[in-house]
Amino acid sequence: MLFAVGNHSKHLPIFECLEKFNVNILSSEQKNISEHFASHQENKFSDIKYTEAKNGAAILDGCLTHIECEIYEKREAGDHVIFILQTENFGEIDQTKQPLIYYKSEYGSIN
């Protein structure tokens, strides 16, 4: 798995000092959490309920599942830093929920 962060992002220093973190797969009931993390709010975890995974990173309450990751490698690519991840553990999928889908600037659902 990988993701990229722009060199001018104020969040880049945070990601650069992390070794382990979680990717939380939000449920369709968590649009408000998606919007909260997309906002310009300084403390992204304020008012967000979570527990700690085995790796010490956050598992958001009510998420569909989570993926525990370790940063394997960082590479500069143009005006971004690419973070290549190694997955360490997959959380159990909550079969009673649907995933939150965001595509082409709109929320959707799987029918």
Side-chain angles (χ1 to χ4, degrees), residues 5-13:
V5 179
N7 288 335
H8 301 293
S9 171
K10 66 181 180 179
H11 302 295
L12 181 59

PDB file of all heavy atoms in Angstrom, residues 5-13:
ATOM      1  N   VAL A   5       2.122  12.547   0.033  1.00  0.00           N
ATOM      2  CA  VAL A   5       1.819  13.807   0.702  1.00  0.00           C
ATOM      3  C   VAL A   5       2.643  14.899   0.021  1.00  0.00           C
ATOM      4  O   VAL A   5       3.842  14.716  -0.217  1.00  0.00           O
ATOM      5  CB  VAL A   5       2.159  13.745   2.208  1.00  0.00           C
ATOM      6  CG1 VAL A   5       1.862  15.074   2.893  1.00  0.00           C
ATOM      7  CG2 VAL A   5       1.391  12.620   2.890  1.00  0.00           C
ATOM      8  N   GLY A   6       1.997  16.006  -0.289  1.00  0.00           N
ATOM      9  CA  GLY A   6       2.678  17.121  -0.936  1.00  0.00           C
ATOM     10  C   GLY A   6       3.757  17.719  -0.046  1.00  0.00           C
ATOM     11  O   GLY A   6       3.597  17.788   1.176  1.00  0.00           O
ATOM     12  N   ASN A   7       4.845  18.158  -0.658  1.00  0.00           N
ATOM     13  CA  ASN A   7       5.961  18.746   0.088  1.00  0.00           C
ATOM     14  C   ASN A   7       5.558  19.987   0.875  1.00  0.00           C
ATOM     15  O   ASN A   7       6.199  20.322   1.860  1.00  0.00           O
ATOM     16  CB  ASN A   7       7.109  19.114  -0.856  1.00  0.00           C
ATOM     17  CG  ASN A   7       7.831  17.895  -1.386  1.00  0.00           C
ATOM     18  OD1 ASN A   7       7.825  16.839  -0.777  1.00  0.00           O
ATOM     19  ND2 ASN A   7       8.446  18.051  -2.543  1.00  0.00           N
ATOM     20  N   HIS A   8       4.523  20.658   0.466  1.00  0.00           N
ATOM     21  CA  HIS A   8       4.094  21.889   1.133  1.00  0.00           C
ATOM     22  C   HIS A   8       2.963  21.651   2.122  1.00  0.00           C
ATOM     23  O   HIS A   8       2.466  22.601   2.724  1.00  0.00           O
ATOM     24  CB  HIS A   8       3.701  22.934   0.094  1.00  0.00           C
ATOM     25  CG  HIS A   8       4.820  23.262  -0.849  1.00  0.00           C
ATOM     26  ND1 HIS A   8       5.971  23.911  -0.438  1.00  0.00           N
ATOM     27  CD2 HIS A   8       4.997  23.000  -2.168  1.00  0.00           C
ATOM     28  CE1 HIS A   8       6.785  24.047  -1.458  1.00  0.00           C
ATOM     29  NE2 HIS A   8       6.229  23.493  -2.525  1.00  0.00           N
ATOM     30  N   SER A   9       2.560  20.405   2.313  1.00  0.00           N
ATOM     31  CA  SER A   9       1.483  20.096   3.256  1.00  0.00           C
ATOM     32  C   SER A   9       1.963  20.313   4.689  1.00  0.00           C
ATOM     33  O   SER A   9       3.057  19.893   5.062  1.00  0.00           O
ATOM     34  CB  SER A   9       1.029  18.644   3.093  1.00  0.00           C
ATOM     35  OG  SER A   9       0.146  18.285   4.143  1.00  0.00           O
ATOM     36  N   LYS A  10       1.118  20.934   5.495  1.00  0.00           N
ATOM     37  CA  LYS A  10       1.489  21.129   6.903  1.00  0.00           C
ATOM     38  C   LYS A  10       1.494  19.808   7.669  1.00  0.00           C
ATOM     39  O   LYS A  10       2.027  19.719   8.764  1.00  0.00           O
ATOM     40  CB  LYS A  10       0.555  22.135   7.579  1.00  0.00           C
ATOM     41  CG  LYS A  10      -0.874  21.677   7.720  1.00  0.00           C
ATOM     42  CD  LYS A  10      -1.715  22.752   8.384  1.00  0.00           C
ATOM     43  CE  LYS A  10      -3.140  22.284   8.527  1.00  0.00           C
ATOM     44  NZ  LYS A  10      -3.972  23.295   9.179  1.00  0.00           N
ATOM     45  N   HIS A  11       0.931  18.744   7.078  1.00  0.00           N
ATOM     46  CA  HIS A  11       0.882  17.433   7.727  1.00  0.00           C
ATOM     47  C   HIS A  11       2.098  16.565   7.410  1.00  0.00           C
ATOM     48  O   HIS A  11       2.312  15.540   8.042  1.00  0.00           O
ATOM     49  CB  HIS A  11      -0.405  16.691   7.359  1.00  0.00           C
ATOM     50  CG  HIS A  11      -1.634  17.439   7.723  1.00  0.00           C
ATOM     51  ND1 HIS A  11      -1.989  17.712   9.021  1.00  0.00           N
ATOM     52  CD2 HIS A  11      -2.594  17.995   6.958  1.00  0.00           C
ATOM     53  CE1 HIS A  11      -3.109  18.400   9.050  1.00  0.00           C
ATOM     54  NE2 HIS A  11      -3.492  18.588   7.800  1.00  0.00           N
ATOM     55  N   LEU A  12       2.903  16.971   6.433  1.00  0.00           N
ATOM     56  CA  LEU A  12       4.063  16.161   6.049  1.00  0.00           C
ATOM     57  C   LEU A  12       5.001  15.889   7.220  1.00  0.00           C
ATOM     58  O   LEU A  12       5.406  14.733   7.411  1.00  0.00           O
ATOM     59  CB  LEU A  12       4.815  16.818   4.890  1.00  0.00           C
ATOM     60  CG  LEU A  12       6.039  16.062   4.384  1.00  0.00           C
ATOM     61  CD1 LEU A  12       5.665  14.661   3.901  1.00  0.00           C
ATOM     62  CD2 LEU A  12       6.717  16.843   3.276  1.00  0.00           C
ATOM     63  N   PRO A  13       5.341  16.866   8.060  1.00  0.00           N
ATOM     64  CA  PRO A  13       6.240  16.571   9.188  1.00  0.00           C
ATOM     65  C   PRO A  13       5.674  15.515  10.146  1.00  0.00           C
ATOM     66  O   PRO A  13       6.435  14.734  10.727  1.00  0.00           O
ATOM     67  CB  PRO A  13       6.395  17.920   9.893  1.00  0.00           C
ATOM     68  CG  PRO A  13       6.080  18.942   8.857  1.00  0.00           C
ATOM     69  CD  PRO A  13       5.056  18.303   7.970  1.00  0.00           C
TER      70      PRO A  13
END
